[in-house]
Amino acid sequence: MQVYKFGGASIATPERMRALLPIISQAERPLLLVVSALGKTTNQLEAIVAAAAKGEVEEARTLTAALETVHRQYAQDILHGAHLQAAEEAMTLILTELEWSLDDAAHQAYDYVYDQMVCVGELLSTTIFSHYLNQEGCQNAWLDVRDIIRTNSHYRDAQVDEAFTEKAVNEKLLPLWNAQSIVITQGFIGATDENHSTTLGREGSDYTAALLGSMLNATKVTIWKDVEGLLNADPRLFDDTIKIPQISYYEVIEMAYYGAQVIHPKTIKPLHNKGIPLAVKCFLNPSLEGTLIDVNIDAAYPPIIVCKKNQVLLEVISKDYSFVTEDVLSQIYELFAKHRVKINMMQNAAISLVAAIDNRQDKIAPLINDLQIQFMVRRNEEVELLTVRHYDEAILNMLCAGKSILLQQKTRKTAQFIVR
């Protein structure tokens, strides 16, 4: 059993989808394909959600019509005959689901509306992809993953009910391979027990592939990207990046925790628990070796750099100047947990706690309101969090040159800086 995950960049154009055919044709069977939305579709759907939430119904409908046009044109470019007709009929049903959500948007919470609308992207892309593969002789079964992955109702960051999901995998997913050697489904999305759509967080398609791969006892999970493998830094931010040919799960977990975007943070655990290797390969050049992530890998690593931009540095200060000891820390942590705000870096002093968090105003504002009942709160905006694993002083000096360091921490292997 192999699991392949294809992100939005790999199917951004009909030409790119066509280029995946040899990769899939040559893959071992049985094969599960986990696929994201086309290109920037999720961003387009987020714009529709934003317009609907503001009550700008006509703007939302205009954006929806543009989204439909893009997908229908894509299908017409890559499909023909009965396959095109079947895909267009299936897309009509999916787009009707989007219209229903749009009609209901004004009466529902933003996060709920977001998930009902944004899930449409993966449903549309996999519909086109499935019909294209069938047309080209790669017979496959299309599966709505919302029938498999059961979640709670924490919309936009839903938690998976693994017991229910594994039961559904055995009852609904496994039997599909009796008729076909390939099954195609969606990443990123799931559903509650009331059949409301949910999303698993941005980049959650990696997590979907890992979760299903672990439940299927896959021999390997492969994530296909537009880079040659796992790099020691984001090539969009840093020059002279280095490909890492092999890396341990432990090291990747550290990278993910500190905010590296190559592998979704939740992806690692289910694969590590089953000892399933994870490969990162380049769909632009499948012959490249890529990166292998596995349990027992002992390698010398270059400095690994993670940069999280658009951070907010909160300082939480005791109003009565009492010490921020364990009992006070627990009160502060409870409020961060209540508002589902992850602390990316923290440090406490006698009467204060400093925490770097993602700049999500929808979460920060209510968090600060609650904190201000007992504490004074100060904030620094537009700061960055730099994390360097396996650092040396030369790389730290280079990265921090010309920047103001607001906070820094070092251990033997990891250095972190809040900079402006």
Side-chain angles (χ1 to χ4, degrees):
M1 170 68 67
Q2 295 276 324
V3 178
Y4 281 3
K5 180 261 176 174
F6 292 106
S10 68
I11 53 171
T13 64
E15 290 74 25
R16 283 198 169 176
M17 185 176 283
R18 289 188 184 98
L20 299 183
L21 184 61
I23 296 174
I24 295 168
S25 299
Q26 296 164 21
E28 295 178 16
R29 307 287 199 269
L31 176 65
L32 175 66
L33 303 178
V34 177
V35 183
S36 300
L38 302 178
K40 300 298 183 181
T41 296
T42 299
N43 294 335
Q44 294 171 314
L45 284 160
E46 287 176 338
I48 296 171
V49 174
K54 295 175 186 175
E56 299 171 355
V57 178
E58 289 308 312
E59 173 66 10
R61 294 195 185 283
T62 299
L63 293 171
T64 300
L67 183 79
E68 177 177 357
T69 298
V70 167
H71 282 79
R72 292 198 182 279
Q73 183 60 57
Y74 190 114
Q76 290 166 14
D77 286 348
I78 204 165
L79 299 172
H80 51 78
H83 295 286
L84 173 60
Q85 182 179 350
E88 289 187 325
E89 290 172 357
M91 286 193 294
T92 296
L93 295 176
I94 295 167
L95 290 163
T96 299
E97 188 174 329
L98 178 58
E99 290 288 342
W100 289 342
S101 298
L102 183 57
D103 292 339
D104 200 35
H107 311 293
Q108 301 289 348
Y110 181 90
D111 286 354
Y112 171 84
V113 172
Y114 180 100
D115 280 7
Q116 308 321 298
M117 291 188 178
V118 167
C119 72
V120 166
E122 278 69 17
L123 297 171
L124 289 170
S125 66
T126 52
T127 294
I128 297 171
F129 203 179
S130 175
H131 284 285
Y132 170 67
L133 292 175
N134 280 329
Q135 174 181 280
E136 301 304 315
C138 279
Q139 299 304 312
N140 68 93
W142 182 90
L143 174 68
D144 188 335
V145 81
R146 296 175 298 178
D147 294 333
I148 302 294
I149 295 183
R150 169 69 56 82
T151 74
N152 62 13
S153 55
H154 288 160
Y155 297 105
R156 296 185 70 183
D157 190 20
Q159 305 302 304
V160 175
D161 180 340
E162 293 190 13
F164 180 96
T165 300
E166 187 156 20
K167 184 172 182 289
V169 164
N170 292 327
E171 293 178 354
K172 297 180 180 180
L173 177 52
L174 276 174
L176 294 176
W177 278 291
N178 293 331
Q180 304 291 350
S181 62
I182 301 174
V183 174
I184 183 169
T185 195
Q186 306 79 34
F188 179 54
I189 66 176
T192 68
D193 56 4
E194 295 181 335
N195 289 324
H196 299 307
S197 298
T198 56
T199 60
L200 309 180
R202 289 302 296 262
E203 310 301 328
S205 292
D206 289 356
Y207 176 49
T208 303
L211 185 68
L212 296 179
S214 71
M215 292 177 177
L216 292 165
N217 293 309
T219 54
K220 184 188 289 185
V221 173
T222 302
I223 296 175
W224 293 89
K225 291 183 170 289
D226 56 359
V227 293
E228 58 183 300
L230 195 64
L231 305 177
N232 73 318
D234 187 336
R236 296 169 296 183
L237 303 177
F238 301 97
D239 296 327
D240 303 320
T241 55
I242 301 168
K243 185 177 81 71
I244 303 172
Q246 292 187 325
I247 190 168
S248 70
Y249 272 121
Y250 175 82
E251 195 62 42
V252 172
I253 288 169
E254 290 286 318
M255 292 174 64
Y257 176 79
Y258 292 122
Q261 297 298 305
V262 175
I263 305 295
H264 191 278
K266 294 183 289 188
T267 298
I268 305 305
K269 185 174 182 293
L271 297 178
H272 178 269
N273 289 350
K274 290 285 187 74
I276 299 170
L278 173 66
V280 179
K281 296 272 287 179
C282 180
F283 63 80
L284 298 173
N285 189 350
S287 65
L288 294 176
E289 182 183 357
T291 297
L292 181 68
I293 306 166
D294 211 339
V295 178
N296 298 313
I297 290 179
D298 184 16
Y301 302 116
I304 296 173
I305 307 165
V306 181
C307 179
K308 284 181 72 71
K309 294 181 176 292
N310 197 22
Q311 297 288 288
V312 174
L313 191 63
L314 287 186
E315 184 178 17
V316 182
I317 307 163
S318 172
K319 282 184 176 180
D320 60 2
Y321 281 27
S322 59
F323 286 159
V324 178
T325 52
E326 289 78 5
D327 56 337
V328 178
L329 283 173
S330 68
Q331 295 172 32
I332 297 172
Y333 289 158
E334 284 178 7
L335 291 175
F336 276 83
K338 171 186 173 183
H339 294 284
R340 303 180 66 79
V341 175
K342 179 181 178 293
I343 298 175
N344 298 321
M345 180 181 177
M346 60 161 284
Q347 185 169 299
N348 70 289
I351 63 168
S352 68
L353 170 78
V354 179
I357 60 177
D358 294 339
N359 188 6
R360 283 278 305 273
Q361 291 303 318
D362 58 319
K363 292 188 175 185
I364 292 175
L367 169 64
I368 290 178
N369 287 339
D370 276 0
L371 285 169
Q372 286 177 330
I373 296 172
Q374 296 178 267
F375 306 96
M376 294 181 289
V377 181
R378 298 172 183 164
R379 58 196 287 176
N380 285 285
E381 306 226 9
E382 298 181 3
V383 299
E384 298 178 6
L385 171 58
L386 275 173
T387 302
V388 187
R389 293 274 295 166
H390 312 288
Y391 66 89
D392 56 43
E393 292 303 320
I395 194 73
L396 298 185
N397 291 336
M398 185 270 290
L399 291 172
C400 294
K403 299 180 183 293
S404 297
I405 300 175
L406 306 183
L407 184 66
Q408 62 178 300
Q409 294 177 353
K410 287 183 183 180
T411 66
R412 285 181 297 173
K413 288 189 176 182
T414 305
Q416 290 191 285
F417 301 86
I418 298 292
V419 299
R420 173 181 284 134

